[in-house]
Structure formats: C-alpha cells, structure tokens
Amino acid sequence: MESTRQQKIARQLQRDAAEILRDEAAGVVRGVMTTVTAVRVSPDFAYAKIYVSVFPFSKAEQTLEALRSNTWLIRKALGRRVRNQLRIVPEIEFFIDDSLEYIENIDNLLKE
C-alpha cells in the first residue's frame, strides 16, 4: 500500500518523465510514440520504476533498450525538475507496459 506522499511523488514523476521524453529526450525515442503509463516509487523515494507504453509495439524492445542506455540523461533532466521537492533524485528503471497489446489481443480473439 502506497502512502499519499508516494502517490503524489509518483504522479509528479510521471508528468515530468512524459515531458522529458516529449521534449528533451525526443531523439532517444525517435520514430515511436511513447507514453508514460505509470510510475512506482519506493518508500524511501530512492528508486522509481517507470512503465512506458510504446506504439508500434514491434519496436518496444528497441525503444526500451534506448531508454535504458540513456537513463543518465533522463535522470539528469528529472533532477533539474524535482530538485526542490525531493532530497534525492531517484534511480530510475524503465519497463514496458504491454497492457494495450494485451487488450488488443483479447479484442481480436473476441471478434473471431
């Protein structure tokens, strides 16, 4: 169960990460549409798991690898944005959120 503070920090990190991917790190995710779907923060705010949805899904692994290799760039930009709210800039890790692909697969199965 996440505390209210964890939820607020997670929402702020989600907004900031989405803006960073859209503006500052646009070259990292060039050619695909990426959406930050969720952020989970540890109780001590030292770690954050960022879940990203990628379209087209066929480029998901390639995009995830690009995000992971440029984590330092995204974390640095995130640090500039949250320096007044957090004492520590959290270590970030990216994961693919494949819930949209799962929904599409079920929808196709139901249509058959």
Side-chain angles (χ1 to χ4, degrees), residues 76-112:
K76 181 179 175 183
L78 196 62
R80 284 191 302 254
R81 292 172 182 250
V82 299
R83 69 176 179 252
N84 295 328
Q85 289 92 15
L86 295 176
R87 192 170 50 100
I88 305 169
V89 178
E91 292 285 333
I92 56 176
E93 191 171 351
F94 290 96
F95 295 95
I96 292 292
D97 182 11
D98 59 352
S99 59
L100 292 177
E101 182 192 23
Y102 179 73
I103 291 169
E104 183 179 329
N105 186 26
I106 289 178
D107 193 36
N108 289 337
L109 290 173
L110 289 174
K111 286 180 182 178
E112 290 178 359

Side-chain angles (χ1 to χ4, degrees), residues 17-18 21 29 32-39 49-55 57 60 63-64 67 74 93-100:
L21 289 179
V29 292
V32 296
M33 185 176 75
T34 56
T35 306
V36 178
T37 56
V39 175
K49 294 180 180 180
I50 300 176
Y51 293 90
V52 180
S53 177
V54 178
F55 182 80
F57 196 75
T63 304
L64 182 63
L67 287 172
I74 299 166
E93 191 171 351
F94 290 96
F95 295 95
I96 292 292
D97 182 11
D98 59 352
S99 59
L100 292 177

